[in-house]
């Protein structure tokens, strides 16, 4: 019988979070970002759960878009990273994938002929990862018309670097740059809004927003948790207690003897570790929960196990499920203790942990 370590996926919470994104997007439509295997929740089940509410999906790459088609879903899929080979353009045209083109090499591929897909152009407004600079757009647009594919262009996208930081002025600057750069083509669509942008008062989201982490209940805003933003946790990561014992005052637990009991302490070992994607850098005092009661980790996280202090759960016994994150302990809390963000924790849960949905 396999261990009962599992990631339980609440699809109703997912749908509720999408509805929150759609409401906060105002007049913009919201494409559901389901890249990285649905942020670790399972791309097929996530996309299927949103199929009757999301008019469009967004992923990073063509293999993720293909997984959506394999799930039997027909909505258009935006490829945020574009395509990586000339032949991918024909596949995009056939499968109704909408690549975001961001470089000279991709324009060269369009010039090679064949049936061009509907596509978007990436505008580099200051993040400096991908995209054409604003002063390059007129030449790019002229080139597209010469190639004869201008009619396939949906519009322009950009991406914010600091939208998670309410104190930053960079989002406003990027927005102004984007508006100026795209103004000569008012008939084309525009998309800039990541999850964090949905929570910036007065921020234009234009025609299409792109909610990602907020769909899964994680916070996109520095200093806030998902529930504080009105978002519901979608993943509950659970693992069983596999033993309990009392360690005497002065005894240590785990590798490096990193935690030493100050008094006789009842503790337990939980069947999950960094081999399952639980963060190794989540140390002593990182919260967990048993039956709705908060407990804490002690010592170092091992590959397959971690230790918890059961002082606050005196009735806990072997076999009891321990919530590592979920509704009692937020994933943003655990991420903060581990010095990272909820995005990394959710996408980092390994294939060793089965996903079950309800």
């Amino acid at each position: 019988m396999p261990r009962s370590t599992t990631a339980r996926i609440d699809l109703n919470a997912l749908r509720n979070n999408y509805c929150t994104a759609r409401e906060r997007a105002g007049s913009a439509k919201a494409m559901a970002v389901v890249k990285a295997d649905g942020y670790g929740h399972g791309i097929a089940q996530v996309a299927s759960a949103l199929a009757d509410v999301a008019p469009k999906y967004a992923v990073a790459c063509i293999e993720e878009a293909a997984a959506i088609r394999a799930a039997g879903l027909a909505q258009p899929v935006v490829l945020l990273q574009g395509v990586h080979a000339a032949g991918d353009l024909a596949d995009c045209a056939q499968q109704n994938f909408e690549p975001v083109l961001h470089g000279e090499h991709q324009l060269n591929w369009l010039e090679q002929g064949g049936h061009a897909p509907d596509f978007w152009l990436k505008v580099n407004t200051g993040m400096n990862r991908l995209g054409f600079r604003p002063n390059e757009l007129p030449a790019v647009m002229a080139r597209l018309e010469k190639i004869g594919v201008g009619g396939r262009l949906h519009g322009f996208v950009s991406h914010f670097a600091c939208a998670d930081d309410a104190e930053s002025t960079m989002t406003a600057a990027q927005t102004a740059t984007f508006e100026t750069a795209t103004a000569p083509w008012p008939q084309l669509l525009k998309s800039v809004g990541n999850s964090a942008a949905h929570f910036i008062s007065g921020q234009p989201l234009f025609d299409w927003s792109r909610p990602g982490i907020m769909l899964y209940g994680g916070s996109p805003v520095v200093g806030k948790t998902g529930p504080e933003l009105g978002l519901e946790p979608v993943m509950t990561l659970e693992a069983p207690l596999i033993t309990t014992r009392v360690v005497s005052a002065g005894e240590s637990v785990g590798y490096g003897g990193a935690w030493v009991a100050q008094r006789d302490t009842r503790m337990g070992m939980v069947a999950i570790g960094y081999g399952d994607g639980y963060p190794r850098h989540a140390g002593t005092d990182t919260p967990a929960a048993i039956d709705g009661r908060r407990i804490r980790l002690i010592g170092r996280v091992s590959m397959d196990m971690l230790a918890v202090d059961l002082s606050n759960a005196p009735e806990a016994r072997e076999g009891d499920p321990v919530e590592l994150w979920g509704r009692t302990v937020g994933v943003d809390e655990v991420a903060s203790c581990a010095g990272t963000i909820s995005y990394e924790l959710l996408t980092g849960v390994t294939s060793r942990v089965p996903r079950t949905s309800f």
Side-chain angles (χ1 to χ4, degrees):
M1 181 177 179
R3 61 182 187 157
S4 55
T5 302
T6 187
R8 297 190 298 109
I9 310 301
D10 185 342
L11 297 177
N12 284 329
L14 173 78
R15 288 169 58 87
N16 290 342
N17 291 338
Y18 175 83
C19 291
T20 296
R22 186 174 58 188
E23 291 168 5
R24 298 193 71 93
S27 61
K29 296 179 181 179
M31 62 178 81
V33 181
V34 296
K35 62 182 180 175
D37 196 28
Y39 282 59
H41 294 66
I43 190 170
Q45 67 176 353
V46 164
S48 297
L50 297 174
D52 62 341
V53 291
K56 196 186 292 277
Y57 301 110
V59 297
C61 49
I62 197 167
E63 54 266 37
E64 294 176 333
I68 292 175
R69 290 290 177 263
L73 304 172
Q75 282 96 327
V77 185
V78 176
L79 310 185
L80 297 173
Q81 208 174 86
V83 292
H84 298 274
D88 291 344
L89 290 171
D91 291 338
C92 288
Q94 182 179 16
Q95 295 289 333
N96 197 19
F97 301 155
E98 301 172 4
V100 176
L101 305 186
H102 54 79
E104 174 77 14
H105 63 295
Q106 294 170 330
L107 300 184
N108 292 339
W109 294 339
L110 279 178
E111 286 181 327
Q112 294 175 13
H115 186 44
D118 294 340
F119 63 96
W120 300 74
L121 286 180
K122 182 71 170 282
V123 184
N124 177 12
T125 57
M127 192 166 189
N128 289 313
R129 295 194 307 184
L130 303 173
F132 299 99
R133 293 187 181 277
N135 63 356
E136 297 174 325
L137 281 187
V140 170
M141 295 296 287
R143 186 174 176 183
L144 294 176
E145 289 302 320
K146 184 177 180 180
I147 297 171
V149 297
R152 291 287 184 180
L153 175 60
H154 276 320
F156 305 98
V157 308
S158 195
H159 195 60
F160 292 136
C162 300
D164 59 336
D165 182 0
E167 302 301 317
S168 175
T169 61
M170 189 170 182
T171 304
Q174 285 189 266
T175 301
T177 298
F178 182 79
E179 290 181 307
T180 300
T182 60
W185 304 279
Q187 75 280 12
L188 295 177
L189 299 174
K190 300 176 180 65
S191 174
V192 297
N194 56 6
S195 288
H198 289 72
F199 296 94
I200 300 175
S201 178
Q203 171 62 42
L205 297 183
F206 300 104
D207 301 295
W208 282 95
S209 74
R210 305 191 304 270
I213 189 63
M214 68 180 296
L215 301 183
Y216 310 96
S219 172
V221 178
V222 172
K224 296 285 187 180
T225 66
E228 289 173 337
L229 297 173
L231 304 172
E232 299 180 31
V234 176
M235 178 190 291
T236 297
L237 184 64
E238 290 184 343
L241 274 177
I242 55 174
T243 190
T244 65
R245 69 179 69 244
V246 174
V247 292
S248 301
E251 291 186 322
S252 64
V253 172
Y255 284 119
W259 180 83
V260 178
Q262 300 302 304
R263 54 181 173 77
D264 293 355
T265 304
R266 186 163 179 263
M267 53 80 69
M269 297 304 301
V270 186
I272 195 168
Y274 61 79
D276 302 288
Y278 190 86
R280 183 177 181 274
H281 292 99
T284 295
D285 293 332
T286 299
I290 295 180
D291 195 26
R293 289 170 292 180
R294 291 169 71 95
I295 57 175
R296 65 176 185 137
L297 271 62
I298 52 176
R300 292 182 184 173
V301 175
S302 303
M303 182 181 290
D304 311 304
M305 293 179 284
L306 55 80
V308 291
D309 180 349
L310 295 175
S311 300
N312 201 39
E315 306 300 319
R317 294 292 181 268
E318 289 83 354
D320 287 351
V322 177
E323 177 191 304
L324 286 311
W325 61 69
R327 290 194 173 271
T328 304
V329 174
V331 65
D332 297 305
E333 290 185 78
V334 178
S336 179
C337 290
T340 186
I341 54 177
S342 59
Y343 305 66
E344 183 178 18
L345 297 193
L346 295 174
T347 61
V349 177
T350 70
S351 59
R352 187 161 80 162
V353 179
R355 276 69 163 169
T356 61
S357 61
F358 62 98

